[in-house]
Amino acid sequence: MMRAPVKLESDNWSVDEARNIYHISRWGGGYYDINARGHVVAKPLPGDDTAVELSAVIEAAQKKGLSGPLLIRFQDILRHRVQSLCRAFDEAIERFEYGGQYHGVFPLKVNELREVVEEVLDAGKDDAFGIEVGSKSELSAALALQSNPHSLLICNGYKDANFIHTALMGTRLGKRVVLVVEKLDELQNIIEIARSEGVRPQLGIRLRLLSRSTGKWADSGGEDAKFGLDTAQLMTALEILREEGWEDCLQLLHSHIGSQVPDIQTVRKAVQEAARFYAKVRQLGFPVEYLDVGGGLAVDYDGSRAAFDSSANYSLREYTDDIVQTIGELCEVENVPHPNIVSESGRAIVAHHSVLAVQVFAANSKTEGMQFEYGKQEHPLVQGLLETLCHLEQSSKLTAYHNALNCKDEAHNMFTLGVLELETKAKVETLYWEISKKVIEHFRNQEGHVPEEIEILEDQMSDQYICNFSVFQSLLDHWAIDQLFPIMPLQRLNEVPTREATLVDITCDSDGAVRKFIDLEDVRGTLPLHSLEQDGRKLSPYYLGIFLVGAYQDVMGDLHNLFGRVNEMHVFLDPDKPSGYYIEQTLHGHSIGDNLTTMQYDRLELAHHMKQQIDRAIKENCLQPEEGARMLQEYEHGLDNYSYLSF
Ligand SMILES: Cc1ncc(COP(=O)(O)O)c(C=O)c1O
């Protein structure tokens, strides 16, 4: 159920009102706020006064020749997230007098970008923060990047001989590479390859827990999960290891019930089940050292702190406390040593650190169009609507709306049959939207129930703000699985937003849109935004920030319509700089040529084809030779342009 917008009053409007309607302090995790100028600021180190105005970063990017869409990364947020997670586990371990240690690993698939991974590893170097991989490509990157012999390198996912061989390379280099068995025959392969190479592998087994999460990633757990060994298969695996005399190779038991687990009860139950497996396996004489609780630590995207898909009903401290306490208590009862705890949190580490800034460059409005003069000889449908409008004050608003809707439908039918002129149709539609607007205002201004059809009408009446970005490149999970992200203007937050809008991107695909927005109680169908014009004049560029996009979105996006990777600015705090920060890195997004190369086009060949056509046009006297030369040059230079619109 979508929630209807609330009327915003311009009297008493303040930045605090903006904080409330966009819920910035609820989802921002202390990293984002609004300053007195009405601009969004990032505060990469909560508690520190340094605030980076996002619009200033956009300006700095423009000076360096980088236009929007622009991904802004705050490297300090990444560091803070890693360290917060490690401290939360350490504190829980101390609080519950837990006997093991915490070892975090970063699942590469959540964001494989080198800058991100290097920052995570550097932030976690004192905590021996490791890496989790799920493919040969990820393993190749992780083996080279991770040099700390105390950090774990956990290999999940299905493995072929090549994967196993590469992982064992790490073992021979003295790294803690754990090959997690996802299927029984994988274990046989690992044993054979390790034996032939004379290496004793460090093994893990993924448990197929019966505990299931809820929400969009629930299928990662439960009996039908894609990965893991069920109890009978686990027994067989233990038997195989025993026969081999490799009991001590089994060092880790792994579980993962899905990403973004919204409910802490689910976390607790899954950990309890995994810990019970650990205890039983230990009692069978296998000296397992690590219990890996997987990923799943959720991000509160909508700030509602509820067990809802886009949220979480728990804090980081509650999460770490519950895991440590649950495992500790169960081990006491089962009389087994406390294992070292491993977690594979991805989303919770990287989501906050990046913001996508997109420019709104135009709006489609239902009530914008020609202004008509109405005479005495109007078509009966137009006359009917004029009368409805004239008597609207005294009439039932719902009846007036129904009459208007009826006229609009009739006009549509008559036009299709060829018995209504274009101008009459335009007049009917203009009057219909005018009446609808007044009816909506009436319901908005009164207390009490708003009929559902009026709520739907209100969404239909909203503007479409056209944004220079691609949902398929930058916000894939919104398109694919309806995931919600916090979105808000980056400036003018000291002004009341007077429009309600949905967002559309620049791909030629009607799915390239955002029509669902965060709300504390439900989902909103529109977003309150500022008008792009004043007195018929276009106001200065209007930017929206799409927040918490650092997890998965950065790396899963596709090239639909050949809109490629976006420009990036990496911001680092520096107390020695007057602004308190510096731009550590600027990365150019994909050019048109880059995108075409990805799709197997060759730049030289394309230019050659163009030249042939230009030469032909010159020969046929359609072009002057100088014009032709200029055209070819422009075409070739154009391939270096950013694939998004430039203003
Ligand atoms: C095995 C494994 N570990 C860790 C993760 C990361 O999960 P999250 O990003 O929710 O922490 C995933 C993602 O689904 C996963 O499949």
Side-chain angles (χ1 to χ4, degrees), residues 366 401 405 408 432-433 440 453-463 526:
K366 296 278 187 329
Y401 168 63
L405 186 61
K408 185 170 83 102
Y432 166 78
W433 288 119
I440 288 172
E453 61 188 315
I454 299 300
E455 283 182 3
I456 295 169
L457 176 67
E458 193 153 16
D459 280 348
Q460 286 171 350
M461 286 280 298
S462 64
D463 297 338
T526 57

Side-chain angles (χ1 to χ4, degrees), residues 171-327:
T171 312
R172 291 165 68 181
L173 288 172
K175 294 170 190 267
R176 290 201 199 178
V177 182
V178 181
L179 278 160
V180 177
V181 175
E182 303 274 9
K183 274 178 73 58
L184 260 187
D185 46 9
E186 219 169 75
L187 179 59
Q188 296 289 8
N189 285 346
I190 295 173
I191 290 175
E192 274 165 36
I193 296 170
R195 225 196 281 132
S196 74
E197 293 187 11
V199 188
R200 277 176 85 82
Q202 303 166 78
L203 297 175
I205 291 181
R206 177 154 175 176
L207 306 166
R208 186 174 298 188
L209 301 186
L210 293 196
S211 306
R212 273 176 69 90
S213 178
T214 51
K216 302 183 191 304
W217 292 271
D219 289 344
S220 305
E223 268 171 314
D224 297 325
K226 185 168 144 187
F227 293 116
L229 272 54
D230 62 24
T231 318
Q233 290 165 333
L234 171 68
M235 295 298 292
T236 311
L238 297 179
E239 210 44 53
I240 294 172
L241 287 173
R242 210 189 284 283
E243 273 170 26
E244 199 66 28
W246 280 12
E247 287 95 330
D248 61 319
C249 291
L250 180 59
Q251 301 194 349
L252 177 143
L253 288 179
H254 178 277
S255 63
H256 172 74
I257 56 161
S259 190
Q260 184 70 12
V261 179
D263 191 346
I264 191 68
Q265 296 299 342
T266 321
V267 174
R268 203 175 299 172
K269 279 192 193 132
V271 169
Q272 212 166 25
E273 190 182 348
R276 190 73 68 186
F277 272 108
Y278 159 79
K280 298 299 176 197
V281 171
R282 275 264 4 175
Q283 287 161 356
L284 289 173
F286 290 82
V288 177
E289 200 186 320
Y290 301 98
L291 179 59
D292 184 339
V293 296
L297 171 56
V299 168
D300 193 0
Y301 289 93
D302 64 16
S304 66
R305 191 78 198 271
F308 175 68
D309 288 358
S310 296
S311 184
N313 66 356
Y314 54 92
S315 63
L316 175 59
R317 175 170 167 167
E318 208 174 335
Y319 176 79
T320 53
D321 275 5
D322 273 19
I323 290 176
V324 172
Q325 188 182 20
T326 305
I327 300 175

Side-chain angles (χ1 to χ4, degrees), residues 107 109-110 132 156 206 256 259-260 295-296 344-347 552:
K109 70 169 172 224
V110 184
E132 182 264 1
N156 289 324
R206 177 154 175 176
H256 172 74
S259 190
Q260 184 70 12
E344 303 178 355
S345 290
R347 188 186 291 281
Y552 302 100

Side-chain angles (χ1 to χ4, degrees), residues 458-477:
E458 193 153 16
D459 280 348
Q460 286 171 350
M461 286 280 298
S462 64
D463 297 338
Q464 282 180 339
Y465 272 34
I466 311 173
C467 305
N468 189 17
F469 84 121
S470 157
V471 165
F472 306 93
Q473 172 60 237
S474 299
L475 215 55
L476 196 73
D477 275 343

Side-chain angles (χ1 to χ4, degrees), residues 245-429:
W246 280 12
E247 287 95 330
D248 61 319
C249 291
L250 180 59
Q251 301 194 349
L252 177 143
L253 288 179
H254 178 277
S255 63
H256 172 74
I257 56 161
S259 190
Q260 184 70 12
V261 179
D263 191 346
I264 191 68
Q265 296 299 342
T266 321
V267 174
R268 203 175 299 172
K269 279 192 193 132
V271 169
Q272 212 166 25
E273 190 182 348
R276 190 73 68 186
F277 272 108
Y278 159 79
K280 298 299 176 197
V281 171
R282 275 264 4 175
Q283 287 161 356
L284 289 173
F286 290 82
V288 177
E289 200 186 320
Y290 301 98
L291 179 59
D292 184 339
V293 296
L297 171 56
V299 168
D300 193 0
Y301 289 93
D302 64 16
S304 66
R305 191 78 198 271
F308 175 68
D309 288 358
S310 296
S311 184
N313 66 356
Y314 54 92
S315 63
L316 175 59
R317 175 170 167 167
E318 208 174 335
Y319 176 79
T320 53
D321 275 5
D322 273 19
I323 290 176
V324 172
Q325 188 182 20
T326 305
I327 300 175
E329 284 177 359
L330 196 139
C331 290
E332 293 303 319
V333 173
E334 294 277 5
N335 200 21
V336 291
H338 294 176
N340 289 327
I341 298 173
V342 179
S343 82
E344 303 178 355
S345 290
R347 188 186 291 281
I349 287 181
V350 292
H352 293 80
H353 91 283
S354 61
V355 185
L356 181 74
V358 300
Q359 187 183 343
V360 182
F361 62 94
N364 292 325
S365 167
K366 296 278 187 329
T367 48
E368 156 196 88
M370 243 178 109
Q371 298 293 324
F372 291 105
E373 302 264 315
Y374 299 99
K376 290 213 166 75
Q377 300 299 314
E378 293 294 343
H379 188 282
L381 285 176
V382 176
Q383 277 180 18
L385 284 165
L386 284 169
E387 242 164 73
T388 305
L389 187 61
C390 184
H391 299 118
L392 194 60
E393 270 311 302
Q394 307 88 290
S395 333
S396 148
K397 305 298 174 291
L398 214 47
T399 311
Y401 168 63
H402 291 154
N403 287 343
L405 186 61
N406 208 29
C407 285
K408 185 170 83 102
D409 285 348
E410 222 168 296
H412 168 70
N413 291 336
M414 289 170 76
F415 180 76
T416 314
L417 292 171
V419 292
L420 197 75
E421 292 309 313
L422 202 57
E423 185 178 329
T424 312
K425 183 172 184 287
K427 284 180 175 171
V428 167
E429 285 171 9

Side-chain angles (χ1 to χ4, degrees), residues 127-144:
D127 297 287
F129 214 77
I131 298 182
E132 182 264 1
V133 299
S135 70
K136 289 187 277 189
S137 310
E138 290 182 352
L139 174 61
S140 302
L143 268 185

